[in-house]
Amino acid sequence: MYNLIVLAARPHDWSHEQFIQWWRGEHADVTYPLPGLRRWQHTEVLDAMDDKSREWDGVSILSFDSREDLDAALASPEWQAAVDNVGKMRGKRILVMGEEKTMVEVGSAAS
């Protein structure tokens, strides 16, 4: 899998709950149709390990079969619709991408 990872923080005038509801609702509705999207995992950040990490509200991992499939999604009208939905929200984000490697399978104990 090739992943696009989004770490995001809400605008200063939104509550955490409002931001998560928007991300998993209205914004999700325009993101689901991305061509080639194989999996989407979203984590609502509920706690942080230290003060530097407290400013974030959520993490999304959007998975594609390959970098080429992600590139095609990013060039699509569906991606533009998702970008337009974000608009001038004024929140913060980090966008990174890369190849996924499973380090521990679900149901397995790490050795």
Side-chain angles (χ1 to χ4, degrees):
M1 290 283 174
Y2 201 85
N3 295 329
L4 172 63
I5 301 160
V6 181
L7 180 63
R10 69 188 179 276
H12 69 278
D13 56 340
W14 284 33
S15 70
H16 171 81
E17 293 75 18
Q18 180 183 9
F19 186 59
I20 295 300
Q21 183 177 9
W22 169 83
W23 200 344
R24 290 181 172 179
E26 176 186 328
H27 187 61
D29 289 342
V30 298
T31 302
Y32 291 136
L34 281 176
L37 182 62
R38 293 285 306 269
R39 179 180 66 205
W40 181 6
Q41 296 175 305
H42 184 265
T43 299
E44 176 184 3
V45 174
L46 297 173
D47 205 354
M49 296 288 290
D50 56 38
D51 288 340
K52 289 182 180 181
S53 304
R54 293 193 195 289
E55 61 192 79
W56 301 101
D57 291 286
V59 179
S60 272
I61 303 172
L62 291 86
S63 300
F64 299 83
D65 285 332
S66 66
R67 171 67 192 253
E68 293 76 23
D69 287 344
L70 171 57
D71 288 343
L74 296 176
S76 72
E78 292 86 356
W79 176 258
Q80 188 58 54
V83 169
D84 291 346
N85 180 256
V86 172
K88 299 187 184 333
M89 181 176 285
R90 304 162 328 276
K92 295 188 328 180
R93 69 171 191 218
I94 295 173
L95 297 168
V96 294
M97 55 191 80
E99 194 72 39
E100 175 182 306
K101 176 170 177 42
T102 300
M103 304 299 285
V104 177
E105 291 287 340
V106 174
S108 300
S111 306

